Amino acid sequence: MLGSKDISVLSMKEWMRLVNIYEGNEQFDPLTVVSRERVRKSLLNGIPAQMRGQIWAMLCRCNREKASHDPGLYHKLLDKSMCKNNDEMRIRKDISRTFTNYPESLQALEC
């Protein structure tokens, strides 16, 4: 068995190949092609900045998650007319409970 030091990190070319496969097949799991330990070591080493979003989307399997929802879900969630009057108040309370140590974040959110 190879030690952690013997495992190489993924090259830019390898990341691109994996992302291209993923973009053509929403069921693709990169861990069927590359070992979990090699992906882990590559992540710890750093993801190429120009591909960061695509790589994280692939690793999180975003396409599969999107495919499991109604295509118009995002726009439905944005539609403020669907909100109840007290929804915003509940959200603001939750934000202040969640971010108790971050007053500057709350000010930016106007909470």
Side-chain angles (χ1 to χ4, degrees):
M1 173 136 178
L2 292 174
S4 180
K5 292 179 184 176
D6 299 326
I7 298 172
S8 65
V9 297
L10 290 161
S11 68
M12 176 69 139
K13 190 175 183 177
E14 289 172 307
W15 279 122
M16 288 174 68
R17 194 173 321 133
L18 290 171
V19 167
N20 286 334
I21 294 169
Y22 169 73
E23 289 177 348
N25 177 3
E26 66 190 34
Q27 298 301 319
F28 175 68
D29 179 359
L31 297 179
T32 60
V33 179
V34 181
S35 75
R36 181 177 300 275
E37 186 58 32
R38 188 165 181 221
V39 170
R40 181 183 173 283
K41 187 172 181 179
S42 298
L43 294 175
L44 291 173
N45 189 59
I47 298 174
Q50 59 271 37
M51 296 191 69
R52 189 165 287 139
Q54 294 168 294
I55 291 169
W56 279 116
M58 174 185 65
L59 294 174
C60 295
R61 300 182 188 135
C62 289
N63 285 346
R64 185 168 45 180
E65 185 65 26
K66 276 192 219 176
S68 71
H69 296 290
D70 171 25
L73 177 63
Y74 177 74
H75 294 289
K76 286 179 188 174
L77 293 172
L78 288 178
D79 185 0
K80 289 186 178 189
S81 68
M82 303 221 10
C83 292
K84 296 177 184 167
N85 291 338
N86 59 354
D87 286 345
E88 186 175 346
M89 183 183 72
R90 285 190 212 156
I91 292 168
R92 288 182 183 280
K93 279 185 181 179
D94 283 344
I95 289 173
S96 63
R97 287 183 210 136
T98 304
F99 297 107
T100 56
N101 297 327
Y102 301 99
E104 61 278 351
S105 298
L106 296 176
Q107 289 172 353
L109 293 171
E110 299 176 0
C111 294

